[in-house]
């Protein structure tokens, strides 16, 4: 099977985008891992599969697969690349797209040529919705990791996130704590792990260890989760610049009963074919 692909990135969070509207694509987990492998495949953090709409309320359906072959529920950087891909390949000329995913519907707005805003929906805090094992909902939880206690915030942005406040993001033990928290027993479906340094009420630094992918240059849903966590603790304003290793995102969350909006760029790297 030979399939066409496009390599894209959002602030260095890179994707292999596959058009399953005009191509017949049905990938096994082994094939997904092969595509994502940086030495034997194309190489990416996630694979994005663009599919026809599943109902008349949406324009497309969107599947996201991590580098380990597992399926993800949401991806903010990937959503921006999705919108850019659809425009670039003349699949839609709409300024606003409604796209269904396994965890809900995303609304994508073309702001400029390479600037896209994503309506990520309302954050979920209930432990059952994240999912996270806890007796009751709280703004922060104590998590035992290898005998050490760490304070985390938890939130779902269509996928689970744990957020830790750190004094210096560059010195944060991302490689050590990231995988331990990702696979912690209190997260039944694993979790993304954000290490958040607050510069001031309008500006933060963030590193994210992504579920199924490891640390990435940027994580859109992680940036949203971090701002939501900071807002819940009364530390951040309703619009925040998030500095990630790959660049900056702007995240806005006006109030508890409103959606989180995330704005940033999307770039095409190259196109090609791969035989599977």
């Amino acid at each position: 099977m030979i399939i066409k692909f496009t390599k894209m990135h959002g602030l260095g969070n890179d994707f292999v985008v596959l058009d399953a509207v005009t191509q017949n694509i049905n990938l096994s987990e082994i094939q997904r891992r092969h595509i994502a492998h940086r030495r034997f495949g194309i190489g990416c953090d996630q694979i994005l599969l663009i599919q026809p709409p599943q109902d008349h309320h949406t324009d497309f359906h969107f599947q996201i697969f991590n580098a380990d072959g597992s399926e993800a529920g949401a991806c903010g950087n990937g959503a921006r690349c999705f919108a850019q891909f659809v425009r670039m390949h003349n699949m839609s000329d709409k300024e606003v797209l409604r796209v269904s995913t396994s965890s809900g519907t995303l609304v994508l707005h073309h702001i400029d040529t390479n600037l896209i805003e994503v309506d990520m929906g309302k954050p979920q805090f209930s432990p059952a919705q994240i999912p996270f094992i806890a007796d009751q909902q709280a703004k922060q939880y104590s998590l035992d990791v290898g005998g050490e206690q760490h304070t985390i915030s938890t939130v779902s942005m269509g996928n689970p996130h744990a957020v830790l406040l750190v004094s210096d993001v560059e010195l944060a033990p991302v490689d050590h704590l990231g995988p331990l928290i990702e696979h912690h027993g209190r997260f039944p479906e694993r979790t993304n792990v954000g290490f958040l340094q607050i510069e001031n009420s309008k500006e933060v630094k963030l590193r994210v260890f992504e579920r199924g992918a490891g640390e990435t240059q940027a994580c859109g849903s992680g940036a949203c989760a971090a701002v939501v966590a900071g807002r819940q603790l009364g530390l951040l304003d309703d619009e925040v610049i998030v500095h990630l290793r790959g660049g900056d995102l702007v995240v806005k969350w006006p109030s508890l009963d409103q959606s989180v909006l995330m704005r940033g760029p999307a770039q095409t790297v190259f196109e090609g074919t791969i035989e599977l």
Side-chain angles (χ1 to χ4, degrees), residues 221-238:
S221 63
C224 294
V227 171
V228 165
R231 289 274 286 149
Q232 283 280 89
L233 296 173
L235 302 174
L236 297 175
D237 291 346
D238 62 359

Side-chain angles (χ1 to χ4, degrees), residues 133-197:
I133 297 173
D135 293 333
Q136 59 185 9
Q137 182 177 318
K139 291 182 179 180
Q140 289 184 306
Y141 303 89
S142 181
L143 191 71
D144 187 318
V145 184
E148 296 182 351
Q149 297 298 316
H150 294 273
T151 300
I152 64 168
S153 298
T154 63
V155 58
S156 173
M157 291 302 313
N159 54 357
H161 288 270
V163 180
L164 296 82
L165 291 175
V166 298
S167 57
D168 187 338
V169 74
E170 294 303 323
L171 299 178
V174 176
D175 291 339
H176 172 65
L177 279 183
L180 294 177
I181 296 176
E182 176 196 354
H183 294 275
H184 197 283
R186 291 180 70 182
F187 290 98
E189 297 179 6
R190 298 186 292 161
T191 189
N192 301 282
V193 188
F195 296 80
L196 173 64
Q197 176 185 340

Side-chain angles (χ1 to χ4, degrees), residues 81-250:
C81 288
F82 178 106
Q84 187 76 326
F85 180 95
V86 166
R87 175 68 62 88
M88 181 177 67
H89 288 267
N90 298 314
M91 298 171 72
S92 174
D93 61 0
K94 291 183 176 181
E95 293 297 322
V96 178
L97 294 171
R98 292 183 61 83
V99 180
S100 61
T101 72
S102 62
S103 60
T105 300
L106 297 175
V107 183
L108 316 177
H109 301 256
H110 283 273
I111 305 298
D112 205 344
T113 304
N114 291 320
L115 186 64
I116 294 152
E117 183 174 81
V118 183
D119 183 332
M120 297 288 290
K122 297 178 183 178
Q124 303 295 328
F125 302 102
S126 165
Q129 291 174 309
I130 291 171
F132 175 67
I133 297 173
D135 293 333
Q136 59 185 9
Q137 182 177 318
K139 291 182 179 180
Q140 289 184 306
Y141 303 89
S142 181
L143 191 71
D144 187 318
V145 184
E148 296 182 351
Q149 297 298 316
H150 294 273
T151 300
I152 64 168
S153 298
T154 63
V155 58
S156 173
M157 291 302 313
N159 54 357
H161 288 270
V163 180
L164 296 82
L165 291 175
V166 298
S167 57
D168 187 338
V169 74
E170 294 303 323
L171 299 178
V174 176
D175 291 339
H176 172 65
L177 279 183
L180 294 177
I181 296 176
E182 176 196 354
H183 294 275
H184 197 283
R186 291 180 70 182
F187 290 98
E189 297 179 6
R190 298 186 292 161
T191 189
N192 301 282
V193 188
F195 296 80
L196 173 64
Q197 176 185 340
I198 296 180
E199 298 279 87
N200 55 62
S201 64
K202 298 179 183 296
E203 204 167 355
V204 302
K205 292 181 179 179
L206 180 69
R207 291 171 65 184
V208 181
F209 192 93
E210 290 198 49
R211 177 180 62 169
E215 185 177 7
T216 57
Q217 291 296 298
C219 177
S221 63
C224 294
V227 171
V228 165
R231 289 274 286 149
Q232 283 280 89
L233 296 173
L235 302 174
L236 297 175
D237 291 346
D238 62 359
E239 185 169 313
V240 178
I241 298 173
V242 182
H243 300 293
L244 300 128
R245 287 192 158 182
D248 297 346
L249 293 172
V250 177

